[in-house]
Amino acid sequence: MSDKLKEACGVFGIYNPQKDAALGRNIFYGLYALQHRGQESAGIAVTSGSGIKYHKAMGLVSEVFNDEILDELSGHIGVGHVRYSTTEANTLINSQPLVVRYKKGSLAVVHNGNLVNSQELRRELEERGVAFQTEIDSEVVAFLIAQEHSEDIIKAAEICMEKIKGSYALVIMTEDTLIGMRDPHGIRPLCLGKQNDSYILTSESCALDTIDAKFIRDVEPGEIIVINKDGVKSIKKNKDNSSSALCIFEFVYFARPDSTIDGSNVHMARWEAGKLLAKEHPVEADLVIGVPDSGTVSAMGYAEAAGIPFGIGLIKNRYVGRTFIKATQSSREIGVKLKLNAVKEAVRGKRLIMVDDSIVRGTTSGLIVKVLKEAGAKEVHVRVSSPPVMHSCYFGIDTSTHKELIGAQRKIEEIRQYIGADSLGYLSLDGLMKATGFSGERFCTGCFSGAYPIEVPREGKRYVFEKR
Amino acid sequence: MSDKLKEACGVFGIYNPQKDAALGRNIFYGLYALQHRGQESAGIAVTSGSGIKYHKAMGLVSEVFNDEILDELSGHIGVGHVRYSTTEANTLINSQPLVVRYKKGSLAVVHNGNLVNSQELRRELEERGVAFQTEIDSEVVAFLIAQEHSEDIIKAAEICMEKIKGSYALVIMTEDTLIGMRDPHGIRPLCLGKQNDSYILTSESCALDTIDAKFIRDVEPGEIIVINKDGVKSIKKNKDNSSSALCIFEFVYFARPDSTIDGSNVHMARWEAGKLLAKEHPVEADLVIGVPDSGTVSAMGYAEAAGIPFGIGLIKNRYVGRTFIKATQSSREIGVKLKLNAVKEAVRGKRLIMVDDSIVRGTTSGLIVKVLKEAGAKEVHVRVSSPPVMHSCYFGIDTSTHKELIGAQRKIEEIRQYIGADSLGYLSLDGLMKATGFSGERFCTGCFSGAYPIEVPREGKRYVFEKR
Amino acid sequence: MSDKLKEACGVFGIYNPQKDAALGRNIFYGLYALQHRGQESAGIAVTSGSGIKYHKAMGLVSEVFNDEILDELSGHIGVGHVRYSTTEANTLINSQPLVVRYKKGSLAVVHNGNLVNSQELRRELEERGVAFQTEIDSEVVAFLIAQEHSEDIIKAAEICMEKIKGSYALVIMTEDTLIGMRDPHGIRPLCLGKQNDSYILTSESCALDTIDAKFIRDVEPGEIIVINKDGVKSIKKNKDNSSSALCIFEFVYFARPDSTIDGSNVHMARWEAGKLLAKEHPVEADLVIGVPDSGTVSAMGYAEAAGIPFGIGLIKNRYVGRTFIKATQSSREIGVKLKLNAVKEAVRGKRLIMVDDSIVRGTTSGLIVKVLKEAGAKEVHVRVSSPPVMHSCYFGIDTSTHKELIGAQRKIEEIRQYIGADSLGYLSLDGLMKATGFSGERFCTGCFSGAYPIEVPREGKRYVFEKR
Amino acid sequence: MSDKLKEACGVFGIYNPQKDAALGRNIFYGLYALQHRGQESAGIAVTSGSGIKYHKAMGLVSEVFNDEILDELSGHIGVGHVRYSTTEANTLINSQPLVVRYKKGSLAVVHNGNLVNSQELRRELEERGVAFQTEIDSEVVAFLIAQEHSEDIIKAAEICMEKIKGSYALVIMTEDTLIGMRDPHGIRPLCLGKQNDSYILTSESCALDTIDAKFIRDVEPGEIIVINKDGVKSIKKNKDNSSSALCIFEFVYFARPDSTIDGSNVHMARWEAGKLLAKEHPVEADLVIGVPDSGTVSAMGYAEAAGIPFGIGLIKNRYVGRTFIKATQSSREIGVKLKLNAVKEAVRGKRLIMVDDSIVRGTTSGLIVKVLKEAGAKEVHVRVSSPPVMHSCYFGIDTSTHKELIGAQRKIEEIRQYIGADSLGYLSLDGLMKATGFSGERFCTGCFSGAYPIEVPREGKRYVFEKR
């Protein structure tokens, strides 16, 4: 995918039986591995048993923290977060972890996902006299816990889970307990790991690898994991996982390839998707290339299945960062050229199959086709390792943005013309699901199919398909 | 005073019948004039009738805001704040205005003062399920309003005033109303002004002058001022002001000399204090000098009353800022030398009377006496235009800091020896009160007398006498 | 003076027989004391006998250096500089010290003043194949030394002095020698001090006081001071000082009051100027006030001589910094109001004498008179403790700026009307010179008289009378 | 290569017949494409015919420039530079372009390479009275031009070329002319392009692609290209290119794969190197993987030639930036883990061939082998697509660093043991040269062979093999 979806968060929590001087550093490394899930702000909160210290700021993990700050973040329990934040002013206010003091002490919450009933919950809490200082779901969760926590934090977590609707991978920390909660559909990933005597809850298994922790298992849909001095406890009301609806876009684009989610490795799924794509949309060609970085693996799978050589036709500039260049007529085009360049010697005179992971707006895809043709490609056959994005994410999408979804606005032949490809083929939804090795019922495929696991709100919220 | 008290805040609020593009800029100018009341953070919140926009950050008013930000802060109601914050991490979280969303809409609170029952109120609110994100009293006030605001914001303000104990000059803003509240003892100053059709509530009258607003009157102790589309309304339960207890340190050091508080001009009071000091502690000398800046005016008053010439014996470096120089044995001494230098030609061979506004720890005073003697002064007679600071402020003071109060630890003769003065005289409390032109009962004189207008908490809070 | 002259520099040099870990810190303190001579950039260069280390950056001394940097700046010889730089891009390139490597090793130069023949010297050096990287006179000096230094650095300094024309207080450092040079007219101040075994060369004596160094003597006009392992050596071709032409504006505004220049204390000279002003321009009045800070002392002298009470009528906001507020019609007016406010209670109903050190453009003076009248002053009689600024400084002044010199454009009665004063009186040039205690021939009075000690270039250079 | 060589620079120059408002932006895009050649500082200088404006600062191209700065950089001729600078203080001083004013006007110089006789040239120029302000070769070049430019800039360039020895791709700009110079051995690349009416000189052809410019040809070894209003002129004393000695490391690691240097595409050369490596060092295995990013292409070539599947076994964290984490025992290991993670599902149980572009110190290679084995790889056969780095670069290398060259210190079997590989094979030098398609005489292979095209200085200079 060259037009990107903005995924909103990565979460990390760790419980260490003893106070650990390197706790903050450990969380830092974990967040480093989750950086692809959010680059706008980062934060870490820790406790040594009394009160919670935290640091959060706008920027990359490597920019937000330094040794001096990490040295301060010792403790025995901690949580961390990376986030893509929306454009409102005072975004630091909206960064996570959210830390509050309430009747039972201190509490920190980190969240990946989107609550569809957060407005109702806010109104309900407001009626009880609660006042909100941020716009984030973590505040709703923290306030629910504060309201419901009478004796047992576990009870409060259970009530919280009953009330909140939507997607969530939540990690909650009190002064003595670390809690993980995954929504009943398991839309967002959350897994459990172990590093020596410490337990870890985090969005993706790649964060475990980075700190040499062992993967234990995925947290199940609807499961609450409670970690404290008595060890790890699991609470799960609904014993069957039949309502499981993991976001399929984690496999398409969000997750890091070296992560394994609910038993399926992301890299292998993408490779497989490429192979199935080759079967669904074969075409005669000389070379298969991928749009770096996310299209590369599927391109390799395609090449293997098609028996056509795989090659590198596009070079990505590794230094393209958060630059803002004045908008000019040609600015989108120069943007693509700064990011990607063709290897003329590799593509000249060739019939190419160009594999991308998805197409959102189509503008970038068109520009890449143009770059390849200018570099001498004889034909460019575009193959996409996922179906057309035709619907709002159940998290909500602006009408204006919906209008920009080329898959929602145009037919496939029209898209082909728009992007200037010689042919265009999308992987079927069945194929995509099959690539993961799961049965189809396991997924939320809303953005492709329009079918959502839970009722979708009318008005959209802030998580929209946006152009990176 | 060369050893300084850190005053915690300046507040500013404005109500404009129409939306004003320059609203933020107007508040900015007002905060500029209040900068002496707090240099650590600054913030402005505005509304155009729906929602509240705000910007706050660490730093001076001139550093926190720029034209781009101020242009965004248009509206018809706004509040602003300058603050000295304590050293906890995440101090931005503790900066003001505090902005919340609650059942009736949006609310912003700015506060100068210290609630002595904030811990009780926090516990009480926590029992009701409220969770706190900051350590500031403004959050307590905002949450009380959020809890109590059922129909009428005025009612909520009244209930709030019944509940909170301590000192406060509060300005509260909803989407359609600006409210000012001054504690029943009027410990912190708050005044009302008018600029064309706009009404202003602010800590000191100097902020009105800066924006060409007219001073209307001081808000009375225990008074609530409500400004909305129906005009200005005053609510006051207790009609007499017999319990008035304005902080006398506003006149000694806190307030700007061009401000007039509760009818008495700060500059004139300081001048008068100097005159009375001359009568109480006369001494034969050749020249009266002040410790700049705050001792200068009293020195002039002293000189006039004593019939001894006033002169400038010490030059202050205008560029001494927030520098942090490595602590070395001599660092305090070099600190004084960077800040103050003697005019040798003016003091050489002279018997000097050196007037300062107060002595907190005594270290700096001793160093200044040393500087003057090294510059050739024959005698240095120290005169202080306020009594010895002997007690914690009713806002609370650390034991360790209490130990550093030289007035609490040593007799006057011991202090004289400690600072190396040839004689030492403090203005009496009666004299100080007389200088203001008020009757003595008007003041809180706790730091001098140990008598506080309201019950003082055992354990101290964060507002302590600190060294600047 | 409320309309300010921008003075361009402060210089500092130190020679320590042994390597001193605190050398950089010592220079830092000295520059701190010279900060009023330039706030745009600061720099320090040091040597331990082989090579020169340096650090320079834009900003105040306290912003440019920190403990980590100062710890690096150990050595036995060092120079420092504070500068007001013009607005060209890449101003860091133009900051000082200028450090070069040449055939005899390393060299650092700091300069206060303006060479009138720098363009000729540059052209001459260019003809010899030299290429320039900056626009500053220090580079010309460094390159002259580099060209002329064959055996003896002293010889090279002498040749340099023969070639450069204009004003200069220069401090030059090689890897083993510290050299001070003051121009033959002594236009810019330079003095010699001693701190234990170290010798110091610096612009003003206040820098010596700050580091507890003893003032030895002023460097004489046309004198070269050479300090190395053999001690201090003086070279002076022209033994008489008859051509002495110290810039009289050092006494009017530039220098710090606690400095003593060529034997006359700045503070005392300003006081005396006030007394003489009272004799030259008496007027019946109730109160004498000064425009802070630079008018205060002369106001006190005026009051003493006139037998009229001195008071404080204007309060200066100590936090007015380098703020840039969008230019609006009223921006200059709000600028004055942010900076100065009247003490209404002190001026109401009074006939005031308002003393300022100088008037450059007149705009600010007019606004201050307005502020005082609005505060209730019955009459405002403006007295200026220097003559009208009528001529370009010999350093050159833009025609456009010359047009803005109200003293050059209008008669005194016109100026009075322009600023709205009830009467206006300037101190005579004779009076000003008398106030310093020197005979008149000692000064460059070009800006007042149009008579310059050396031939003035036609085209102006960058040092102009500018509005602060 | 996971242990990296630090390449020093990228250069860019453009000549436009007319003044172009977007000139700076054009150069900015070009530098963006050259960012891989240096990330420490960036700079652009432009002229509109009179004087030169420039901006340079530490940081990435995207950090150094913004729209406001680029808007200022209009003109008709311009040069730009990206640089890796050494760690001396004041590195901004050492950044490029170097801009000087000399007898013929203004001059800007940008340089990629290393002059081996720069110390001699500096001493020679110093004897002529020149003083140096930087440590960079560009200053030597600028001063030579300044000395030698009497009538014709071309003549001066020719004399300059006669004097300087070493490697250089130089772009020099006067107020009316753009000059490119490539050293007689063509060690560093430099090519000529055309964009509409503009001519461009730049290090790599990828910079031409980014701005849609056409590649015309490589500048020849020993050629001077002069571009002015009369068009493009070539000067070349030595007509044959027999002494050509292009740095072979440009193909191994330095250059971007989409660049074509002296007729050979970098990407294709790396692919071919992989194929030849497979022939030279075959081994039975299940999967070929590359060390991203630079080992990937050769791995693909190896796989193709060996008939073994190519796969992705290592995932690189795209957000690893310039982080500095406290040195701990395990810091190098965590550093590798933050950067690279194995795809367990892809490598588990497999016999792997892991291809890297080079091995410098061996530490990182060993850690990657460990990561793969921990992820379940049965065997790891390391293949390197270049010979062992056994000698200092002719640019000079510290003895200490030379000691760290594992290829210089250990035999291949020892290296294999050190990195824990099951087998280890390096591509032969013949193979590497053959991969480029050139005859062997075309290259400088000093770091592999110890044979340098020009006499190598005894003492090293600053360009050393360093760890990224």
Side-chain angles (χ1 to χ4, degrees), chain D residues 117-376:
Chain D
N117 67 335
S118 64
Q119 294 308 320
E120 293 94 290
L121 292 171
R122 281 173 177 260
R123 260 172 253 132
E124 201 180 288
L125 283 161
E126 280 171 10
E127 285 312 311
R128 290 207 242 168
V130 165
F132 288 88
Q133 296 180 47
T134 82
E135 301 168 67
I136 54 177
D137 290 344
S138 285
E139 195 181 23
V140 175
V141 170
F143 287 1
L144 281 174
I145 300 280
Q147 295 265 335
E148 304 300 342
H149 187 182
S150 45
E151 265 137 79
D152 191 351
I153 182 71
I154 301 175
K155 197 99 195 167
E158 287 175 313
I159 297 173
C160 180
M161 187 176 253
E162 277 164 31
K163 296 208 171 206
I164 60 178
K165 307 285 171 221
S167 69
Y168 52 87
L170 275 165
V171 183
I172 300 169
M173 170 180 112
T174 68
E175 290 161 4
D176 56 16
T177 304
L178 185 72
I179 295 172
M181 288 169 58
R182 193 170 174 198
D183 69 73
H185 300 281
I187 299 173
R188 290 291 150 228
L190 187 65
C191 66
L192 178 69
K194 193 158 195 253
Q195 181 203 42
N196 305 320
D197 291 339
S198 299
Y199 285 97
I200 292 144
L201 289 161
T202 186
S203 295
E204 291 188 33
S205 64
C206 66
L208 297 174
D209 295 339
T210 296
I211 58 167
D212 267 338
K214 279 186 187 25
F215 172 85
I216 299 180
R217 64 172 176 91
D218 292 280
V219 176
E220 290 184 29
E223 184 180 14
I224 300 174
I225 296 279
V226 180
I227 309 170
N228 57 24
K229 64 177 167 41
D230 302 324
V232 179
K233 187 179 169 185
S234 163
I235 295 143
K236 190 153 183 251
K237 289 274 165 74
N238 190 352
K239 294 299 173 191
D240 84 297
N241 287 336
S242 62
S243 63
S244 172
L246 176 64
C247 169
I248 198 162
F249 232 90
E250 293 280 350
F251 285 95
V252 174
Y253 172 71
F254 288 164
R256 231 171 77 168
D258 49 335
S259 287
T260 291
I261 301 176
D262 291 349
S264 177
N265 171 252
V266 174
H267 170 82
M268 299 312 280
R270 289 181 190 167
W271 187 293
E272 194 62 31
K275 285 166 73 175
L276 294 171
L277 180 59
K279 278 165 201 161
E280 292 189 8
H281 296 283
V283 64
E284 243 178 76
D286 305 310
L287 192 73
V288 180
I289 65 169
V291 177
D293 294 325
S294 43
T296 305
V297 175
S298 296
M300 287 165 58
Y302 191 106
E304 184 187 308
I308 301 172
F310 168 75
I312 290 180
L314 292 162
I315 297 297
K316 186 171 180 181
N317 187 336
R318 296 292 167 208
Y319 300 97
V320 168
R322 286 163 299 170
T323 310
F324 299 98
I325 302 158
K326 191 184 270 179
T328 61
Q329 269 187 308
S330 62
S331 69
R332 187 176 292 274
E333 191 162 344
I334 186 73
V336 169
K337 278 179 181 296
L338 286 178
K339 206 159 71 179
L340 290 172
N341 192 22
V343 183
K344 292 190 197 67
E345 288 73 4
V347 304
R348 194 178 294 135
K350 299 255 175 70
R351 294 171 301 168
L352 299 179
I353 296 168
M354 169 191 126
V355 180
D356 204 352
D357 64 286
S358 59
I359 293 180
V360 177
R361 299 188 188 186
T363 335
T364 307
S365 305
L367 290 168
I368 301 172
V369 171
K370 195 179 160 206
V371 162
L372 290 169
K373 293 228 163 173
E374 285 173 358

Side-chain angles (χ1 to χ4, degrees), chain C residues 54 90 101 132-133 139, chain D residues 54 90 100-101 132-133 139:
Chain C
Y54 64 102
N90 300 299
R101 260 147 292 184
F132 289 88
Q133 295 180 45
E139 195 182 23
Chain D
Y54 65 102
N90 300 299
V100 303
R101 261 147 292 185
F132 288 88
Q133 296 180 47
E139 195 181 23

Side-chain angles (χ1 to χ4, degrees), chain C residues 36 69 106 130 221 353 391 408 427:
Chain C
H36 61 288
I69 293 167
S106 291
V130 165
I353 297 169
H391 301 275
L427 181 61

Side-chain angles (χ1 to χ4, degrees), chain A residues 337-365:
Chain A
K337 279 180 181 293
L338 286 179
K339 207 160 71 179
L340 291 172
N341 191 24
V343 183
K344 292 191 197 68
E345 288 73 5
V347 303
R348 194 177 293 134
K350 299 256 175 69
R351 295 170 300 168
L352 299 179
I353 297 169
M354 167 190 129
V355 181
D356 204 351
D357 65 285
S358 59
I359 294 180
V360 177
R361 300 189 186 185
T363 336
T364 307
S365 305

